[in-house]
Amino acid sequence: MPAFYRMSNRSSSAAADASLTEDADRPSLREGPEFLSTLPARPSDVRTARTVIAVSVIVFVGLVPFAKTPLQPVWAFIPIYETLLVVNDLVTALLLFGQFSILRERPLAILASGYLFTGLMAAFHALTFPGLFTPTGLLGADTQSTAWIYMFWHAGFPLFVIAYTLLKGRSGGRLPDTRSGGRFILACVASTVLLASGLMLMATAGHDLLPVLLLAGGAYTTAMHIVVTSVWATSLAALIVLFYRRSSSVLELWLRVVVCAWLVDVALSAQLNAGRFDLGFYAGRIYGAVAASFILARLLIENTGLYAQLGGTHARLAAQNQELQREIAEREAAEASLQRMYEELEDRVRERTASLEAAMREMDSFTYSISHDLKTPLRAVAGYAGILKEDHGSELNEEADTLIDEINENAARMQQLIDDLLAFSRVARKPISRAGVDMDALVKETIAELEDAENVKRKIAWDIQPLPASRGERGLLKQVWINLLSNAVKFSSTRPVPVIRIGAVDQPDETVYFVEDNGIGFSMDYYDKLFGVFQRLHVAEEFPGTGVGLAIVQRIVERHGGRIWAEGRVDKGAKFQFSLPKDDQHGRT
Amino acid sequence: MVEPEYAEIVIVDDSASDALLTRRALQKSGIASPPLWLRDGVEVLDYLFGRGAFAGRARTALPRLILLDLKLPRIDGLRVLETVKADARLREIPIVMMSSSAEERDLRAAYRFGVNSYVVKPLDFTEFSRHVAEIGAYWISVNRVPPP
């Protein structure tokens, strides 16, 4: 945006000019705009002000001996000087009112009124100056009118400064938000105009009521000395108040300079000189003009500075905005690609689910066929062997008889394998239903059934600790206990006193149940085979089984969202542990 | 293999060995009339409705028991069951489903179609023979059906 750059370039060059008397690090708009009246004076400001005051005083001291030196009356000096004052003061008043309307600090409006007052009084002073526009002056002025207007003028402004300084330090100076700033300004302007006009009228219409200050030849009366000293004293009072308040804003710092110049002005042009148009008269007036320009100059510098800041901020905001737009675009692009990836993923999940479902259906019909068709020939084998024995038993010798038994046993074993395999695949396919399961009751029930099934009731030392309830499918969990407990019974059967310990460990997220026996144990070398289908760690003759039981147990536990693990040592027993989550969300199908 | 026109018991099974074992068990249990063996769903329905190979058979002569295998070629056992139980004339014939499997869905389907009994064929010869003998004895001697 070239417009911004042009603007900020111009503003920053103006700011560079303005910062001749300031540090390079100007306050930025980041913390809100700073104004003359709020900006704290920095050491560089203080140094500049001191220098100006020092120069003023030196020049003043140098001029004092020559104050009474009469000079040529230059009539044009008066209107030029007064016009300069009027314009300066009115512009200053305008800018201060402007600051007031932003900051709403009432003391600022008072000070602005002070500048309006001096502007008006300067105008009256010029208009009534004898011999300037008419021999006696305009506005019905008499011989003393101009002198008195000067006195009112030069006593008035310091009073405004005092009022400003005293009010400034106090809380509650801020105009409430409910009140209109414009109306307050209007009230200030109206009362100031009234005051100035009133004073002017007192000096013109009330001329005869006031003491005589100037003699016919232009010499000062005693009254003049008293009045001018009092006027000078008000400026001194203002300076004292300014120093006493030790207020630290740039505005107050420059007000001190202004009041100093004001003191010199009054001293040279009405106290230490002899009359109109001598050196003191001119020098004092020049001081006054310079004094009137200080605040104006500072305000103008500040205005340009603020413009520079505004331009800079605008450019920065535009850059930030652009950056934001870019970030938004990037984020939108990222979101779009994320959405695409998500959709692709969903598609893939759908495809995978469909193919899994197809595989499941295939598996389903496969196991269904197995359960129906695999057993028929097996039954034929067992059946014909049975017929052979029943119908032809008398013709068979002992060996044939044993072989027939062998056929039957193997057929039965095959049947068991098929049934176990079907059970295993059923666990994988069937959805798990969940309900509260009383594990204590379930274990007692299982043990009772196991003991019933055992042909020889061996003495088993059961050590059963209380078991926390769980959630799951009771039938499947019972299958877990049946398999683990029958294993424990089976593999500890060779012990003189089999000991089987059942217990549980309650943990925050899950419950861990365990079955521990003192049986023949197993070698951890074969741990990875423990839960495999048809994996057996012992010979079938010694400990019968198909090798599917633990695979079924593992599958059931995992379908419930739990884990199973074991530890064992050869001839030192085994401990099987399985966990079931407490959170119902896990393992749901 | 078309046996006599009338049989008290009809065995429907595609496995010759199962049929043989069943017949043997029934005959050994003392049931007089020899059971009829049919091999699949089409045959049994033709027999019952007197059509196809059995066209012209006296349709009023209905068996007193059907031992029906679940898995049959062409028309399977469940379909036969459904057809028989949906027919006003045939639905009173007791049907015992004989199956190798105890799959839950088969059991549910069979009972939904109105099976009279469901038996899982045991593998063991002695046990099988005993079950078949008991079934025959019960449905022929103990059970009563309404007169035709």
Side-chain angles (χ1 to χ4, degrees):
Chain A
M1 295 179 184
F4 284 132
Y5 292 125
R6 263 209 307 283
M7 181 180 175
S8 69
N9 282 348
R10 195 174 51 209
S11 314
S12 63
S13 68
D17 295 343
S19 65
L20 285 175
T21 56
E22 291 193 21
D23 287 340
D25 55 326
R26 319 184 103 260
S28 83
L29 266 179
R30 238 168 288 144
E31 294 128 18
E34 285 285 4
F35 292 97
L36 229 47
S37 56
T38 55
L39 183 65
R42 280 161 305 177
S44 60
D45 293 314
V46 175
R47 268 197 305 280
T48 314
R50 279 192 190 143
T51 310
V52 172
I53 291 174
V55 170
S56 305
V57 171
I58 290 164
V59 172
F60 167 70
V61 172
L63 287 173
V64 168
F66 313 103
K68 293 186 167 129
T69 312
L71 295 173
Q72 199 66 38
V74 181
W75 286 104
F77 175 80
I78 306 292
I80 290 169
Y81 148 76
E82 305 267 31
T83 307
L84 177 70
L85 280 190
V86 170
V87 171
N88 266 11
D89 290 345
L90 290 182
V91 172
T92 308
L94 203 68
L95 289 173
L96 286 173
F97 274 127
Q99 288 207 354
F100 161 77
S101 66
I102 296 165
L103 297 171
R104 301 176 67 82
E105 291 290 339
R106 275 183 282 218
L108 269 178
I110 305 283
L111 190 65
S113 303
Y115 272 93
L116 178 61
F117 175 79
T118 59
L120 290 170
M121 293 307 276
F124 294 146
H125 187 260
L127 292 174
T128 56
F129 202 89
L132 193 59
F133 295 103
T134 61
T136 54
L138 294 172
L139 305 173
D142 213 329
T143 49
Q144 304 301 317
S145 299
T146 312
W148 272 109
I149 285 173
Y150 177 92
M151 297 305 161
F152 292 146
W153 167 19
H154 283 78
F157 179 71
L159 292 177
F160 277 99
V161 171
I162 289 171
Y164 163 78
T165 313
L166 293 180
L167 286 173
K168 175 87 196 295
R170 287 178 36 194
S171 57
R174 219 183 120 77
L175 190 71
D177 288 340
T178 48
R179 289 187 52 188
S180 154
R183 210 171 284 174
F184 190 78
I185 291 174
L186 215 62
C188 286
V189 170
S191 25
T192 308
V193 169
L194 269 178
L195 176 69
S197 308
L199 290 171
M200 184 269 287
L201 280 175
M202 204 193 290
T204 52
H207 176 266
D208 296 341
L209 303 171
L210 296 168
V212 174
L213 300 177
L214 290 172
L215 295 174
Y220 297 161
T221 61
T222 316
M224 167 71 166
H225 284 295
I226 294 167
V227 172
V228 86
T229 306
S230 319
V231 166
W232 192 81
T234 56
S235 286
L236 188 64
L239 191 64
I240 290 166
V241 169
L242 272 170
F243 273 101
Y244 177 73
R245 298 297 293 190
R246 298 198 64 84
S247 191
S248 57
S249 81
V250 176
L251 180 62
E252 278 125 47
L253 184 73
W254 284 99
L255 273 179
R256 285 176 208 167
V257 178
V258 168
V259 173
C260 279
W262 203 267
L263 278 169
V264 174
D265 173 2
V266 176
L268 282 177
S269 58
Q271 254 178 317
L272 302 172
N273 68 342
R276 282 173 181 156
F277 303 117
D278 59 11
L279 189 112
F281 175 86
Y282 284 116
R285 291 292 186 279
I286 291 165
Y287 262 101
V290 171
S293 311
F294 281 140
I295 295 289
L296 180 62
R298 273 317 259 113
L299 282 171
L300 288 175
I301 288 167
E302 180 192 339
N303 259 22
T304 18
L306 284 174
Y307 263 116
Q309 278 181 36
L310 195 65
T313 310
H314 205 138
R316 205 164 50 239
L317 282 177
Q320 279 174 0
N321 195 28
Q322 224 165 3
E323 176 71 11
L324 266 176
Q325 296 284 357
R326 200 178 55 72
E327 272 175 26
I328 288 169
E330 269 175 21
R331 190 159 301 180
E332 278 172 354
E335 268 170 18
S337 84
L338 209 66
Q339 179 66 24
R340 260 202 312 284
M341 278 163 71
Y342 178 71
E343 278 164 10
E344 275 169 24
L345 206 66
E346 265 194 336
D347 282 349
R348 241 186 282 171
V349 167
R350 255 197 298 280
E351 279 168 26
R352 184 60 60 87
T353 309
S355 75
L356 270 177
E357 278 170 354
M360 208 71 154
R361 271 197 301 278
E362 226 163 82
M363 183 74 192
D364 207 33
S365 65
F366 177 67
T367 52
Y368 186 77
S369 303
I370 286 178
S371 71
H372 280 277
D373 299 338
L374 228 58
K375 286 181 190 168
T376 309
L378 207 56
R379 196 160 39 247
V381 170
Y384 290 132
I387 292 172
L388 205 59
K389 204 166 176 176
E390 201 174 280
D391 290 1
H392 309 281
S394 54
E395 304 159 36
L396 297 172
N397 61 22
E398 202 176 318
E399 195 193 357
D401 208 48
T402 317
L403 288 174
I404 287 171
D405 286 345
E406 202 66 35
I407 291 171
N408 277 330
E409 267 171 40
N410 275 288
R413 198 165 138 64
M414 182 70 189
Q415 159 101 347
Q416 191 59 49
L417 280 171
I418 294 170
D419 283 346
D420 283 356
L421 206 59
L422 288 174
F424 179 66
S425 102
R426 207 174 294 127
V427 169
R429 286 180 292 141
K430 233 185 99 190
I432 304 256
S433 64
R434 276 160 195 270
V437 176
D438 181 347
M439 288 297 221
D440 277 324
L442 191 58
V443 166
K444 280 196 189 94
E445 187 183 308
T446 307
I447 289 172
E449 284 173 17
L450 276 178
E451 284 184 334
D452 279 350
E454 286 278 298
N455 288 330
V456 187
K457 262 205 176 178
R458 281 176 293 113
K459 277 272 172 233
I460 297 172
W462 295 100
D463 172 6
I464 307 168
Q465 295 162 15
L467 302 172
S470 186
R471 280 186 72 76
E473 186 163 331
R474 194 176 196 276
L476 291 177
L477 292 180
K478 182 168 178 179
Q479 192 64 45
V480 170
W481 285 113
I482 287 174
N483 287 357
L484 291 181
L485 292 175
S486 61
N487 272 357
V489 168
K490 184 162 69 184
F491 293 112
S492 62
S493 60
T494 52
R495 296 284 181 250
V497 183
V499 178
I500 299 175
R501 210 158 69 85
I502 302 163
V505 182
D506 207 10
Q507 282 172 358
D509 300 333
E510 56 183 19
T511 310
V512 177
Y513 301 91
F514 65 84
V515 174
E516 198 176 2
D517 64 66
N518 64 341
I520 58 161
F522 61 89
S523 163
M524 289 301 270
D525 293 347
Y526 306 116
Y527 184 82
D528 54 332
K529 289 185 169 184
L530 202 58
F531 297 103
V533 182
F534 295 139
Q535 296 289 347
R536 289 178 49 76
L537 302 186
H538 306 283
V539 286
E541 278 68 28
E542 200 178 354
F543 299 103
T546 58
V548 182
L550 284 178
I552 291 178
V553 167
Q554 184 182 42
R555 208 165 254 200
I556 292 173
V557 168
E558 283 174 358
R559 289 295 306 275
H560 279 81
R563 300 162 293 125
I564 184 161
W565 65 100
E567 52 209 273
R569 272 163 66 200
V570 176
D571 230 25
K572 293 276 191 261
K575 183 179 185 180
F576 283 83
Q577 305 191 64
F578 65 96
S579 69
L580 291 176
K582 291 179 174 176
D583 181 358
D584 206 20
Q585 301 305 306
H586 289 294
R588 200 186 272 280
T589 42
Chain B
M1 174 181 169
V2 178
E3 295 232 345
E5 279 281 297
Y6 176 74
E8 253 189 333
I9 300 175
V10 171
I11 299 167
V12 190
D13 204 318
D14 61 324
S15 157
S17 55
D18 273 4
L20 186 145
L21 290 173
T22 310
R23 276 214 301 186
R24 187 178 184 278
L26 285 172
Q27 279 165 350
K28 284 224 165 192
S29 76
I31 285 167
S33 82
L36 174 65
W37 173 40
L38 301 172
R39 285 167 229 241
D40 66 27
V42 175
E43 274 189 17
V44 68
L45 290 179
D46 281 355
Y47 176 81
L48 291 173
F49 287 103
R51 64 196 184 195
F54 298 95
R57 196 184 71 85
R59 289 177 56 203
T60 47
L62 293 175
R64 291 184 62 197
L65 173 66
I66 299 174
L67 296 174
L68 182 63
D69 189 18
L70 189 113
K71 204 154 174 274
L72 292 171
R74 299 205 278 180
I75 296 177
D76 80 2
L78 283 173
R79 180 61 59 78
V80 171
L81 174 69
E82 188 185 7
T83 311
V84 170
K85 291 300 178 186
D87 187 273
R89 193 175 60 91
L90 303 176
R91 70 156 60 105
E92 285 159 4
I93 305 170
I95 294 182
V96 174
M97 197 64 105
M98 305 278 284
S99 169
S100 297
S101 96
E103 286 275 325
E104 193 180 315
R105 56 177 153 165
D106 292 339
L107 275 161
R108 288 194 190 286
Y111 278 97
R112 194 169 59 243
F113 294 140
V115 80
N116 297 79
S117 181
Y118 190 109
V119 176
V120 178
K121 296 175 186 169
L123 183 87
D124 184 77
F125 169 70
T126 319
E127 207 179 329
F128 183 90
S129 301
R130 197 180 72 235
H131 277 194
V132 172
E134 280 169 359
I135 290 163
Y138 173 78
W139 288 102
I140 300 301
S141 312
V142 181
N143 188 50
R144 298 291 296 270
V145 288

mmCIF file of all heavy atoms in Angstrom, chain A residues 467-492:
data_model
loop_
_atom_site.group_PDB
_atom_site.id
_atom_site.type_symbol
_atom_site.label_atom_id
_atom_site.label_comp_id
_atom_site.label_asym_id
_atom_site.label_seq_id
_atom_site.Cartn_x
_atom_site.Cartn_y
_atom_site.Cartn_z
ATOM 1 N N LEU A 467 -13.364 -62.173 46.229
ATOM 2 C CA LEU A 467 -13.131 -61.657 44.876
ATOM 3 C C LEU A 467 -14.087 -60.507 44.580
ATOM 4 O O LEU A 467 -15.297 -60.646 44.763
ATOM 5 C CB LEU A 467 -13.356 -62.771 43.845
ATOM 6 C CG LEU A 467 -12.498 -64.027 44.005
ATOM 7 C CD1 LEU A 467 -12.953 -65.101 43.042
ATOM 8 C CD2 LEU A 467 -11.029 -63.694 43.783
ATOM 9 N N PRO A 468 -13.555 -59.383 44.116
ATOM 10 C CA PRO A 468 -14.443 -58.261 43.754
ATOM 11 C C PRO A 468 -15.324 -58.661 42.567
ATOM 12 O O PRO A 468 -14.903 -59.451 41.721
ATOM 13 C CB PRO A 468 -13.483 -57.146 43.347
ATOM 14 C CG PRO A 468 -12.131 -57.573 43.795
ATOM 15 C CD PRO A 468 -12.147 -59.049 43.890
ATOM 16 N N ALA A 469 -16.515 -58.105 42.545
ATOM 17 C CA ALA A 469 -17.412 -58.365 41.416
ATOM 18 C C ALA A 469 -16.836 -57.709 40.163
ATOM 19 O O ALA A 469 -15.978 -56.841 40.230
ATOM 20 C CB ALA A 469 -18.790 -57.803 41.711
ATOM 21 N N SER A 470 -17.314 -58.150 39.021
ATOM 22 C CA SER A 470 -16.836 -57.571 37.770
ATOM 23 C C SER A 470 -18.026 -57.398 36.825
ATOM 24 O O SER A 470 -19.166 -57.712 37.183
ATOM 25 C CB SER A 470 -15.780 -58.474 37.151
ATOM 26 O OG SER A 470 -15.233 -57.839 36.021
ATOM 27 N N ARG A 471 -17.718 -56.886 35.634
ATOM 28 C CA ARG A 471 -18.769 -56.769 34.626
ATOM 29 C C ARG A 471 -18.356 -57.565 33.403
ATOM 30 O O ARG A 471 -17.205 -57.531 32.993
ATOM 31 C CB ARG A 471 -18.964 -55.313 34.239
ATOM 32 C CG ARG A 471 -19.802 -54.533 35.238
ATOM 33 C CD ARG A 471 -20.084 -53.138 34.733
ATOM 34 N NE ARG A 471 -21.041 -53.134 33.621
ATOM 35 C CZ ARG A 471 -22.350 -53.308 33.773
ATOM 36 N NH1 ARG A 471 -22.854 -53.528 34.966
ATOM 37 N NH2 ARG A 471 -23.139 -53.291 32.725
ATOM 38 N N GLY A 472 -19.304 -58.291 32.839
ATOM 39 C CA GLY A 472 -18.981 -59.066 31.654
ATOM 40 C C GLY A 472 -20.080 -60.068 31.362
ATOM 41 O O GLY A 472 -21.171 -60.001 31.944
ATOM 42 N N GLU A 473 -19.780 -60.998 30.453
ATOM 43 C CA GLU A 473 -20.768 -62.026 30.137
ATOM 44 C C GLU A 473 -20.491 -63.221 31.030
ATOM 45 O O GLU A 473 -19.440 -63.858 30.939
ATOM 46 C CB GLU A 473 -20.670 -62.401 28.653
ATOM 47 C CG GLU A 473 -21.775 -63.359 28.265
ATOM 48 C CD GLU A 473 -21.974 -63.432 26.758
ATOM 49 O OE1 GLU A 473 -21.702 -62.416 26.074
ATOM 50 O OE2 GLU A 473 -22.377 -64.490 26.278
ATOM 51 N N ARG A 474 -21.452 -63.509 31.883
ATOM 52 C CA ARG A 474 -21.258 -64.502 32.927
ATOM 53 C C ARG A 474 -20.811 -65.845 32.342
ATOM 54 O O ARG A 474 -19.854 -66.463 32.819
ATOM 55 C CB ARG A 474 -22.559 -64.688 33.710
ATOM 56 C CG ARG A 474 -22.371 -65.425 35.005
ATOM 57 C CD ARG A 474 -23.667 -65.496 35.797
ATOM 58 N NE ARG A 474 -23.401 -65.872 37.184
ATOM 59 C CZ ARG A 474 -23.260 -67.122 37.587
ATOM 60 N NH1 ARG A 474 -23.327 -68.111 36.710
ATOM 61 N NH2 ARG A 474 -23.020 -67.392 38.857
ATOM 62 N N GLY A 475 -21.478 -66.298 31.296
ATOM 63 C CA GLY A 475 -21.167 -67.600 30.699
ATOM 64 C C GLY A 475 -19.719 -67.676 30.247
ATOM 65 O O GLY A 475 -19.037 -68.685 30.484
ATOM 66 N N LEU A 476 -19.246 -66.599 29.631
ATOM 67 C CA LEU A 476 -17.870 -66.586 29.133
ATOM 68 C C LEU A 476 -16.867 -66.518 30.282
ATOM 69 O O LEU A 476 -15.838 -67.185 30.261
ATOM 70 C CB LEU A 476 -17.661 -65.410 28.175
ATOM 71 C CG LEU A 476 -18.392 -65.527 26.833
ATOM 72 C CD1 LEU A 476 -18.166 -64.283 25.989
ATOM 73 C CD2 LEU A 476 -17.933 -66.762 26.067
ATOM 74 N N LEU A 477 -17.192 -65.683 31.284
ATOM 75 C CA LEU A 477 -16.285 -65.581 32.430
ATOM 76 C C LEU A 477 -16.228 -66.914 33.177
ATOM 77 O O LEU A 477 -15.179 -67.311 33.697
ATOM 78 C CB LEU A 477 -16.725 -64.443 33.354
ATOM 79 C CG LEU A 477 -16.565 -63.036 32.758
ATOM 80 C CD1 LEU A 477 -17.021 -61.979 33.753
ATOM 81 C CD2 LEU A 477 -15.116 -62.784 32.342
ATOM 82 N N LYS A 478 -17.353 -67.612 33.209
ATOM 83 C CA LYS A 478 -17.361 -68.932 33.838
ATOM 84 C C LYS A 478 -16.421 -69.871 33.071
ATOM 85 O O LYS A 478 -15.670 -70.650 33.666
ATOM 86 C CB LYS A 478 -18.775 -69.498 33.856
ATOM 87 C CG LYS A 478 -18.832 -70.842 34.539
ATOM 88 C CD LYS A 478 -20.235 -71.287 34.823
ATOM 89 C CE LYS A 478 -20.206 -72.668 35.458
ATOM 90 N NZ LYS A 478 -21.554 -73.130 35.768
ATOM 91 N N GLN A 479 -16.450 -69.748 31.753
ATOM 92 C CA GLN A 479 -15.559 -70.545 30.908
ATOM 93 C C GLN A 479 -14.098 -70.281 31.287
ATOM 94 O O GLN A 479 -13.283 -71.199 31.347
ATOM 95 C CB GLN A 479 -15.805 -70.174 29.438
ATOM 96 C CG GLN A 479 -15.167 -71.106 28.444
ATOM 97 C CD GLN A 479 -15.762 -72.507 28.535
ATOM 98 O OE1 GLN A 479 -16.982 -72.663 28.620
ATOM 99 N NE2 GLN A 479 -14.907 -73.511 28.556
ATOM 100 N N VAL A 480 -13.793 -69.009 31.570
ATOM 101 C CA VAL A 480 -12.429 -68.640 31.985
ATOM 102 C C VAL A 480 -12.048 -69.391 33.260
ATOM 103 O O VAL A 480 -10.999 -70.029 33.351
ATOM 104 C CB VAL A 480 -12.309 -67.116 32.198
ATOM 105 C CG1 VAL A 480 -10.989 -66.759 32.862
ATOM 106 C CG2 VAL A 480 -12.441 -66.390 30.865
ATOM 107 N N TRP A 481 -12.956 -69.309 34.249
ATOM 108 C CA TRP A 481 -12.660 -69.962 35.535
ATOM 109 C C TRP A 481 -12.576 -71.478 35.364
ATOM 110 O O TRP A 481 -11.699 -72.129 35.935
ATOM 111 C CB TRP A 481 -13.729 -69.605 36.575
ATOM 112 C CG TRP A 481 -13.601 -68.201 37.104
ATOM 113 C CD1 TRP A 481 -14.463 -67.185 36.914
ATOM 114 C CD2 TRP A 481 -12.536 -67.670 37.899
ATOM 115 N NE1 TRP A 481 -14.024 -66.041 37.532
ATOM 116 C CE2 TRP A 481 -12.830 -66.318 38.156
ATOM 117 C CE3 TRP A 481 -11.348 -68.208 38.418
ATOM 118 C CZ2 TRP A 481 -12.004 -65.491 38.903
ATOM 119 C CZ3 TRP A 481 -10.526 -67.381 39.175
ATOM 120 C CH2 TRP A 481 -10.851 -66.040 39.409
ATOM 121 N N ILE A 482 -13.501 -72.053 34.585
ATOM 122 C CA ILE A 482 -13.488 -73.503 34.378
ATOM 123 C C ILE A 482 -12.130 -73.922 33.820
ATOM 124 O O ILE A 482 -11.485 -74.844 34.341
ATOM 125 C CB ILE A 482 -14.613 -73.935 33.406
ATOM 126 C CG1 ILE A 482 -15.975 -73.841 34.104
ATOM 127 C CG2 ILE A 482 -14.384 -75.362 32.906
ATOM 128 C CD1 ILE A 482 -17.156 -74.105 33.186
ATOM 129 N N ASN A 483 -11.687 -73.233 32.773
ATOM 130 C CA ASN A 483 -10.436 -73.629 32.141
ATOM 131 C C ASN A 483 -9.242 -73.456 33.069
ATOM 132 O O ASN A 483 -8.389 -74.334 33.170
ATOM 133 C CB ASN A 483 -10.215 -72.820 30.855
ATOM 134 C CG ASN A 483 -11.156 -73.265 29.751
ATOM 135 O OD1 ASN A 483 -11.918 -74.208 29.928
ATOM 136 N ND2 ASN A 483 -11.116 -72.598 28.622
ATOM 137 N N LEU A 484 -9.182 -72.282 33.751
ATOM 138 C CA LEU A 484 -8.024 -72.039 34.618
ATOM 139 C C LEU A 484 -8.023 -73.002 35.808
ATOM 140 O O LEU A 484 -6.976 -73.559 36.168
ATOM 141 C CB LEU A 484 -8.026 -70.589 35.105
ATOM 142 C CG LEU A 484 -7.748 -69.518 34.045
ATOM 143 C CD1 LEU A 484 -7.754 -68.131 34.694
ATOM 144 C CD2 LEU A 484 -6.403 -69.762 33.363
ATOM 145 N N LEU A 485 -9.211 -73.198 36.412
ATOM 146 C CA LEU A 485 -9.270 -74.056 37.599
ATOM 147 C C LEU A 485 -9.079 -75.524 37.232
ATOM 148 O O LEU A 485 -8.398 -76.257 37.956
ATOM 149 C CB LEU A 485 -10.602 -73.841 38.330
ATOM 150 C CG LEU A 485 -10.740 -72.459 38.979
ATOM 151 C CD1 LEU A 485 -12.130 -72.279 39.588
ATOM 152 C CD2 LEU A 485 -9.668 -72.262 40.051
ATOM 153 N N SER A 486 -9.639 -75.945 36.095
ATOM 154 C CA SER A 486 -9.447 -77.352 35.729
ATOM 155 C C SER A 486 -7.986 -77.608 35.374
ATOM 156 O O SER A 486 -7.448 -78.670 35.668
ATOM 157 C CB SER A 486 -10.386 -77.768 34.590
ATOM 158 O OG SER A 486 -10.114 -76.989 33.454
ATOM 159 N N ASN A 487 -7.342 -76.607 34.772
ATOM 160 C CA ASN A 487 -5.897 -76.727 34.536
ATOM 161 C C ASN A 487 -5.153 -76.886 35.857
ATOM 162 O O ASN A 487 -4.264 -77.725 35.993
ATOM 163 C CB ASN A 487 -5.371 -75.486 33.816
ATOM 164 C CG ASN A 487 -5.479 -75.620 32.312
ATOM 165 O OD1 ASN A 487 -5.899 -76.654 31.809
ATOM 166 N ND2 ASN A 487 -5.096 -74.576 31.596
ATOM 167 N N ALA A 488 -5.514 -76.016 36.823
ATOM 168 C CA ALA A 488 -4.826 -76.052 38.118
ATOM 169 C C ALA A 488 -5.027 -77.414 38.783
ATOM 170 O O ALA A 488 -4.086 -78.005 39.334
ATOM 171 C CB ALA A 488 -5.345 -74.933 39.014
ATOM 172 N N VAL A 489 -6.251 -77.914 38.705
ATOM 173 C CA VAL A 489 -6.555 -79.218 39.299
ATOM 174 C C VAL A 489 -5.752 -80.302 38.586
ATOM 175 O O VAL A 489 -5.104 -81.148 39.217
ATOM 176 C CB VAL A 489 -8.071 -79.520 39.202
ATOM 177 C CG1 VAL A 489 -8.356 -80.981 39.549
ATOM 178 C CG2 VAL A 489 -8.852 -78.585 40.114
ATOM 179 N N LYS A 490 -5.779 -80.208 37.237
ATOM 180 C CA LYS A 490 -5.140 -81.241 36.425
ATOM 181 C C LYS A 490 -3.622 -81.289 36.677
ATOM 182 O O LYS A 490 -3.062 -82.349 36.929
ATOM 183 C CB LYS A 490 -5.420 -80.932 34.956
ATOM 184 C CG LYS A 490 -4.908 -81.969 33.983
ATOM 185 C CD LYS A 490 -5.596 -81.814 32.631
ATOM 186 C CE LYS A 490 -5.167 -80.531 31.926
ATOM 187 N NZ LYS A 490 -5.900 -80.337 30.655
ATOM 188 N N PHE A 491 -3.001 -80.105 36.638
ATOM 189 C CA PHE A 491 -1.536 -80.099 36.706
ATOM 190 C C PHE A 491 -0.988 -80.211 38.131
ATOM 191 O O PHE A 491 0.216 -80.291 38.326
ATOM 192 C CB PHE A 491 -0.974 -78.867 35.986
ATOM 193 C CG PHE A 491 -1.216 -78.912 34.505
ATOM 194 C CD1 PHE A 491 -2.079 -78.025 33.881
ATOM 195 C CD2 PHE A 491 -0.596 -79.894 33.730
ATOM 196 C CE1 PHE A 491 -2.309 -78.084 32.524
ATOM 197 C CE2 PHE A 491 -0.835 -79.959 32.364
ATOM 198 C CZ PHE A 491 -1.697 -79.060 31.762
ATOM 199 N N SER A 492 -1.898 -80.168 39.119
ATOM 200 C CA SER A 492 -1.420 -80.379 40.492
ATOM 201 C C SER A 492 -1.849 -81.767 40.993
ATOM 202 O O SER A 492 -1.678 -82.079 42.172
ATOM 203 C CB SER A 492 -1.949 -79.281 41.414
ATOM 204 O OG SER A 492 -3.351 -79.331 41.456
#
